[in-house]
Amino acid sequence: MTQWWRTRRARFEALVSPHLDHLYRLALRWTGRPEAAEDLVHDVLVKLLPRTDELAAVDRLRPWLARVLYRQFVDDRRRGGAPDTANGPDVDTLVDNNPGPEAAAVQSIHRRLLVDALQRLPEAHRVVLVLHDVEGYTLEELTTVLDAPLGTLKSRLHRARHALRRQLGMEPSGT
Amino acid sequence: MDCDAFKRRLDDWLDERLDAGARRSVDRHLESCEACRQRAEVATELRRELRALAALRPSAAARRRMLGHADRRVALSRPWLAAAAAAVFAVGVAAGLYLQQPAGPERAATVSPGTARVAAGTPGAVQLVFQSPQALQDVEVVLELPDGVELVGYPGRRSLAWRTDLAAGRNLMSLPVLALTEGERAVVARLRYGGRERQFQVLLHAQDNAAINSSGT
């Protein structure tokens, strides 16, 4: 039994580990807190472990896992379990290209302001923006991940981008 | 195509969802309209910055916790923990706040509590150092800039706010500032946590570049 369990767990981890960073980033941007993000991902993985065989049969696991994560996030919000996302997240380790002290300062402050502005977006807009503009999903893929019509998602994305530009003071004059 | 039509197509243009004919119309409009070119550049730049957020990686410890290999941390969410941390914040954060110019071949580092010298008209990185007796999560930082001083990349903005965590001990925050003209001005930094606020005022002495070099500092 123990060997069976170890084998199953190893198989499960082999399936999900390549997507762990991605799931964590989604959870972090949606919840706004590193600890809440870890909890969300952990809770999803706990639920999925018994479904290892099902996972192994999924054609494209990345959007499939994103969909499950999103549903868990929504369920948590309905139960009131997720923290207030108006609080900005910590900035975790970032791979950067060592641009030099002054450029690094600009990059750091810009990134902090960007992340803070992102967290201030309405949840529905932030979810779409993160999936599309950060993680690179197409709108067509998101109709499945988020179970929403294409037109609705386009509208949310448009509003999110506009709101983010305004929050950051990036709207050109005359807009 | 007019500007309103371009604005409606901006997202599709950004996402390369326009057909060839529509794309040609947009390109022709951008050739002749400076305002819409700016809109396109801003949207493209923001998209690039958002895409860069995908470089974030959780720590190895966080990965182990998510996979269930390690006990997860207790989040600082219990009220009594938050209250204790807020009390510590009120007493001890930023006891050592000061400004420091980075040392370089053209000027020696100048360190004095609450002051910094910069060259007018030249962007410089001004270091804020916050000393915190313990780790604090989700501290709001508000920076208020006087007239004539800007944060590089945010022209015209008098106030900027963001949230960050402070580690126990020394926390370095580097601000890229630009003093537009010579003079002495006060930059105000506010730290807010647990319903409490600490305010710090730092004096920025902006001098002519030649004056700074001739003074040897």
Coordinates of all heavy atoms in Angstrom, one line a residue, chain A residues 55-107:
Chain A
L55 N -6.1 13.2 -14.5 CA -5.1 14.2 -14.9 C -4.2 13.7 -16.1 O -3.9 14.4 -17.0 CB -4.2 14.6 -13.8 CG -4.5 15.9 -13.0 CD1 -5.9 15.8 -12.3 CD2 -3.4 16.3 -12.1
A56 N -3.8 12.5 -15.9 CA -2.9 11.9 -16.9 C -3.5 11.8 -18.3 O -2.8 11.8 -19.3 CB -2.4 10.5 -16.4
A57 N -4.8 11.8 -18.3 CA -5.6 11.7 -19.6 C -5.9 13.0 -20.2 O -6.4 13.1 -21.3 CB -6.8 10.8 -19.4
V58 N -5.7 14.1 -19.5 CA -6.0 15.4 -20.0 C -5.0 15.8 -21.1 O -3.8 15.7 -20.9 CB -6.0 16.5 -18.9 CG1 -6.1 17.9 -19.4 CG2 -7.1 16.2 -17.9
D59 N -5.6 16.3 -22.2 CA -4.7 16.7 -23.3 C -3.8 17.9 -23.1 O -2.6 17.9 -23.3 CB -5.6 17.0 -24.6 CG -4.8 17.2 -25.8 OD1 -3.7 16.7 -25.9 OD2 -5.3 18.0 -26.6
R60 N -4.4 19.0 -22.6 CA -3.7 20.2 -22.2 C -3.9 20.5 -20.8 O -4.9 21.1 -20.4 CB -4.1 21.3 -23.2 CG -3.7 21.0 -24.6 CD -4.2 22.1 -25.6 NE -3.5 23.4 -25.3 CZ -4.1 24.5 -25.0 NH1 -5.5 24.6 -24.9 NH2 -3.4 25.6 -24.7
L61 N -3.0 20.1 -20.0 CA -3.2 20.2 -18.5 C -3.1 21.6 -18.0 O -3.8 22.0 -17.0 CB -2.1 19.4 -17.8 CG -2.4 18.9 -16.4 CD1 -3.8 18.3 -16.3 CD2 -1.3 17.9 -15.9
R62 N -2.4 22.5 -18.6 CA -2.2 23.9 -18.1 C -3.5 24.6 -18.0 O -3.9 25.1 -16.9 CB -1.2 24.6 -19.0 CG -0.8 26.0 -18.5 CD 0.3 26.6 -19.4 NE 0.8 27.8 -18.9 CZ 0.4 29.0 -19.4 NH1 -0.4 29.1 -20.4 NH2 1.0 30.1 -18.9
P63 N -4.3 24.7 -19.1 CA -5.6 25.4 -18.9 C -6.6 24.6 -18.1 O -7.4 25.2 -17.4 CB -6.1 25.6 -20.3 CG -5.3 24.6 -21.1 CD -4.0 24.4 -20.5
W64 N -6.5 23.3 -18.1 CA -7.3 22.5 -17.3 C -7.1 22.8 -15.8 O -8.1 23.0 -15.0 CB -7.1 21.0 -17.6 CG -8.1 20.0 -17.0 CD1 -9.2 19.6 -17.7 CD2 -8.0 19.4 -15.7 NE1 -9.8 18.7 -16.8 CE2 -9.1 18.6 -15.7 CE3 -7.1 19.5 -14.7 CZ2 -9.4 17.8 -14.5 CZ3 -7.4 18.7 -13.5 CH2 -8.5 17.9 -13.5
L65 N -5.9 22.8 -15.4 CA -5.6 23.1 -14.0 C -6.0 24.6 -13.6 O -6.4 24.8 -12.5 CB -4.1 23.0 -13.7 CG -3.6 21.5 -13.7 CD1 -2.1 21.5 -13.7 CD2 -4.1 20.7 -12.5
A66 N -5.8 25.5 -14.6 CA -6.2 26.9 -14.3 C -7.7 27.0 -14.1 O -8.1 27.7 -13.2 CB -5.8 27.8 -15.5
R67 N -8.4 26.2 -14.8 CA -9.9 26.2 -14.6 C -10.2 25.7 -13.3 O -11.1 26.2 -12.6 CB -10.5 25.3 -15.7 CG -12.0 25.2 -15.7 CD -12.4 24.3 -16.9 NE -13.7 23.8 -16.8 CZ -14.8 24.4 -17.2 NH1 -14.8 25.6 -17.7 NH2 -16.0 23.8 -17.1
V68 N -9.6 24.6 -12.8 CA -9.9 24.0 -11.5 C -9.5 25.0 -10.4 O -10.2 25.3 -9.5 CB -9.1 22.7 -11.3 CG1 -9.3 22.2 -9.9 CG2 -9.6 21.7 -12.3
L69 N -8.3 25.7 -10.6 CA -7.9 26.7 -9.6 C -8.9 27.8 -9.5 O -9.2 28.3 -8.4 CB -6.5 27.2 -10.1 CG -5.8 28.1 -9.1 CD1 -5.2 27.3 -7.9 CD2 -4.7 28.9 -9.7
Y70 N -9.4 28.3 -10.7 CA -10.3 29.4 -10.7 C -11.6 29.0 -10.0 O -12.1 29.8 -9.2 CB -10.6 29.9 -12.1 CG -11.6 31.0 -12.2 CD1 -11.3 32.2 -11.7 CD2 -12.9 30.8 -12.7 CE1 -12.2 33.3 -11.7 CE2 -13.8 31.8 -12.8 CZ -13.5 33.0 -12.3 OH -14.4 34.1 -12.3
R71 N -12.1 27.8 -10.2 CA -13.3 27.4 -9.6 C -13.1 27.4 -8.0 O -14.0 27.7 -7.3 CB -13.7 26.1 -10.1 CG -14.3 26.1 -11.5 CD -14.8 24.8 -11.9 NE -15.7 25.0 -13.1 CZ -16.1 23.9 -13.8 NH1 -15.8 22.7 -13.4 NH2 -16.9 24.1 -14.8
Q72 N -11.9 26.9 -7.6 CA -11.7 26.8 -6.2 C -11.6 28.3 -5.6 O -12.1 28.5 -4.5 CB -10.4 26.1 -5.9 CG -10.0 25.9 -4.4 CD -11.0 25.0 -3.8 OE1 -11.3 23.9 -4.2 NE2 -11.5 25.4 -2.6
F73 N -11.0 29.1 -6.3 CA -10.9 30.5 -5.9 C -12.3 31.2 -5.8 O -12.6 31.8 -4.8 CB -10.1 31.3 -7.0 CG -10.1 32.8 -6.8 CD1 -9.5 33.4 -5.6 CD2 -10.7 33.7 -7.7 CE1 -9.5 34.8 -5.5 CE2 -10.7 35.0 -7.5 CZ -10.1 35.6 -6.4
V74 N -13.1 30.9 -6.7 CA -14.5 31.5 -6.7 C -15.3 30.9 -5.5 O -15.9 31.6 -4.8 CB -15.2 31.2 -8.0 CG1 -16.7 31.5 -7.9 CG2 -14.6 32.0 -9.1
D75 N -15.1 29.5 -5.3 CA -15.8 28.9 -4.2 C -15.3 29.5 -2.9 O -16.1 29.7 -1.9 CB -15.5 27.4 -4.2 CG -16.3 26.7 -5.2 OD1 -17.2 27.3 -5.8 OD2 -16.0 25.5 -5.5
D76 N -14.0 29.7 -2.7 CA -13.4 30.3 -1.5 C -14.0 31.7 -1.3 O -14.3 32.1 -0.1 CB -11.9 30.4 -1.6 CG -11.2 29.0 -1.5 OD1 -11.9 28.1 -1.1 OD2 -10.0 29.0 -1.7
R77 N -14.1 32.4 -2.3 CA -14.6 33.8 -2.2 C -16.1 33.8 -1.7 O -16.5 34.6 -0.9 CB -14.5 34.5 -3.5 CG -13.1 34.8 -4.0 CD -12.5 35.9 -3.2 NE -12.9 37.2 -3.6 CZ -12.7 38.3 -2.9 NH1 -12.2 38.2 -1.7 NH2 -13.1 39.5 -3.3
R78 N -16.9 32.8 -2.3 CA -18.3 32.7 -1.9 C -18.4 32.4 -0.5 O -19.3 32.9 0.2 CB -19.0 31.7 -2.8 CG -19.3 32.1 -4.1 CD -20.4 31.3 -4.7 NE -20.5 31.5 -6.2 CZ -20.1 30.7 -7.1 NH1 -19.6 29.5 -6.8 NH2 -20.2 31.0 -8.4
R79 N -17.5 31.5 0.0 CA -17.6 31.1 1.4 C -16.9 32.2 2.3 O -17.0 32.1 3.5 CB -16.8 29.8 1.6 CG -17.6 28.6 1.1 CD -17.0 27.3 1.7 NE -15.6 27.2 1.4 CZ -15.1 26.6 0.4 NH1 -15.9 26.0 -0.5 NH2 -13.8 26.5 0.2
G80 N -16.3 33.2 1.7 CA -15.7 34.3 2.5 C -14.4 33.9 3.0 O -13.8 34.5 3.9
G81 N -13.8 32.8 2.5 CA -12.5 32.4 3.0 C -11.3 33.1 2.4 O -10.2 33.0 3.0
A82 N -11.4 33.7 1.3 CA -10.3 34.4 0.7 C -10.1 35.7 1.3 O -11.0 36.4 1.7 CB -10.5 34.5 -0.8
P83 N -8.8 36.2 1.5 CA -8.6 37.5 2.1 C -8.9 38.6 1.1 O -9.1 38.4 0.0 CB -7.1 37.4 2.3 CG -6.6 36.5 1.3 CD -7.6 35.5 1.1
D84 N -9.0 39.8 1.7 CA -9.3 41.0 1.0 C -8.2 41.3 -0.1 O -7.1 41.5 0.3 CB -9.4 42.2 2.0 CG -9.7 43.5 1.3 OD1 -10.0 43.5 0.1 OD2 -9.7 44.5 2.0
T85 N -8.6 41.3 -1.3 CA -7.6 41.5 -2.4 C -7.2 42.9 -2.6 O -6.4 43.2 -3.4 CB -8.0 40.9 -3.7 OG1 -9.3 41.5 -4.0 CG2 -8.3 39.4 -3.6
A86 N -7.8 43.8 -1.8 CA -7.3 45.2 -1.9 C -5.9 45.4 -1.3 O -5.2 46.3 -1.6 CB -8.3 46.1 -1.2
N87 N -5.5 44.4 -0.4 CA -4.2 44.5 0.1 C -3.2 43.9 -1.0 O -3.4 42.9 -1.5 CB -4.0 43.6 1.3 CG -4.8 44.2 2.5 OD1 -4.9 45.4 2.6 ND2 -5.5 43.3 3.2
G88 N -2.2 44.7 -1.2 CA -1.3 44.3 -2.3 C -0.4 43.1 -1.9 O -0.1 42.9 -0.7
P89 N 0.1 42.3 -2.8 CA 0.9 41.2 -2.5 C 2.4 41.6 -2.3 O 2.8 42.7 -2.7 CB 0.8 40.3 -3.7 CG 0.7 41.3 -4.8 CD -0.2 42.4 -4.2
D90 N 3.1 40.8 -1.6 CA 4.5 40.9 -1.5 C 5.1 40.7 -2.9 O 4.5 40.1 -3.8 CB 5.1 39.9 -0.5 CG 6.6 40.1 -0.3 OD1 7.1 41.2 -0.7 OD2 7.2 39.2 0.1
V91 N 6.3 41.2 -3.1 CA 6.9 40.9 -4.4 C 7.9 39.8 -4.2 O 8.9 40.0 -3.4 CB 7.6 42.2 -4.9 CG1 8.5 41.9 -6.1 CG2 6.6 43.3 -5.3
D92 N 7.8 38.7 -4.8 CA 8.6 37.6 -4.5 C 9.9 37.6 -5.4 O 10.1 38.6 -6.1 CB 7.8 36.3 -4.8 CG 7.3 35.7 -3.6 OD1 8.1 34.9 -2.9 OD2 6.2 36.0 -3.1
T93 N 10.6 36.6 -5.4 CA 11.8 36.5 -6.2 C 11.5 36.7 -7.7 O 10.5 36.2 -8.2 CB 12.5 35.2 -6.1 OG1 11.6 34.1 -6.4 CG2 13.0 35.0 -4.6
L94 N 12.2 37.6 -8.3 CA 12.0 37.8 -9.7 C 13.3 37.6 -10.5 O 14.3 38.1 -10.1 CB 11.5 39.3 -9.9 CG 11.5 39.8 -11.3 CD1 10.3 39.1 -12.0 CD2 11.2 41.3 -11.4
V95 N 13.2 36.9 -11.6 CA 14.3 36.8 -12.4 C 14.5 38.0 -13.2 O 13.6 38.4 -14.0 CB 14.1 35.6 -13.4 CG1 15.3 35.5 -14.4 CG2 13.9 34.3 -12.6
D96 N 15.6 38.7 -13.0 CA 15.8 39.9 -13.8 C 17.2 39.9 -14.5 O 18.0 38.9 -14.3 CB 15.7 41.2 -13.0 CG 16.9 41.5 -12.1 OD1 18.0 41.0 -12.3 OD2 16.7 42.2 -11.1
N97 N 17.5 40.8 -15.4 CA 18.6 40.7 -16.2 C 19.7 41.6 -15.7 O 20.6 42.0 -16.5 CB 18.3 40.9 -17.7 CG 17.6 42.3 -17.8 OD1 17.5 43.0 -16.8 ND2 17.0 42.5 -19.0
N98 N 19.7 42.0 -14.5 CA 20.8 42.8 -13.9 C 21.1 44.0 -14.6 O 22.2 44.2 -15.2 CB 22.1 41.9 -13.9 CG 22.8 41.9 -12.5 OD1 22.3 42.6 -11.6 ND2 23.8 41.2 -12.4
P99 N 20.1 44.9 -14.7 CA 20.3 46.1 -15.5 C 21.2 47.2 -14.9 O 21.4 48.2 -15.6 CB 18.9 46.6 -15.7 CG 18.2 46.2 -14.5 CD 18.8 44.9 -14.0
G100 N 21.6 47.1 -13.7 CA 22.4 48.2 -13.2 C 21.6 49.0 -12.1 O 20.4 48.9 -12.1
P101 N 22.3 49.7 -11.2 CA 21.6 50.2 -10.0 C 20.4 51.1 -10.3 O 19.3 50.9 -9.8 CB 22.7 51.0 -9.3 CG 24.0 50.7 -10.0 CD 23.7 50.0 -11.2
E102 N 20.6 52.1 -11.2 CA 19.5 53.1 -11.4 C 18.4 52.4 -12.2 O 17.2 52.6 -11.8 CB 20.0 54.3 -12.1 CG 20.9 55.2 -11.2 CD 21.1 56.6 -11.8 OE1 20.6 56.9 -12.9 OE2 21.9 57.3 -11.2
A103 N 18.7 51.7 -13.2 CA 17.7 51.0 -14.0 C 17.0 50.0 -13.1 O 15.8 49.8 -13.2 CB 18.3 50.4 -15.2
A104 N 17.7 49.3 -12.2 CA 17.1 48.4 -11.3 C 16.1 49.0 -10.4 O 15.1 48.5 -10.1 CB 18.2 47.6 -10.5
A105 N 16.5 50.3 -9.9 CA 15.6 51.0 -9.0 C 14.3 51.3 -9.8 O 13.2 51.2 -9.2 CB 16.2 52.3 -8.5
V106 N 14.4 51.8 -11.0 CA 13.2 52.1 -11.8 C 12.4 50.8 -12.0 O 11.2 50.8 -11.8 CB 13.6 52.7 -13.2 CG1 12.3 52.9 -14.0 CG2 14.3 54.0 -13.0
Q107 N 13.0 49.8 -12.3 CA 12.3 48.5 -12.6 C 11.5 48.1 -11.3 O 10.4 47.7 -11.3 CB 13.3 47.4 -13.0 CG 12.6 46.1 -13.4 CD 13.7 45.1 -13.8 OE1 14.4 44.6 -12.9 NE2 13.8 44.9 -15.0

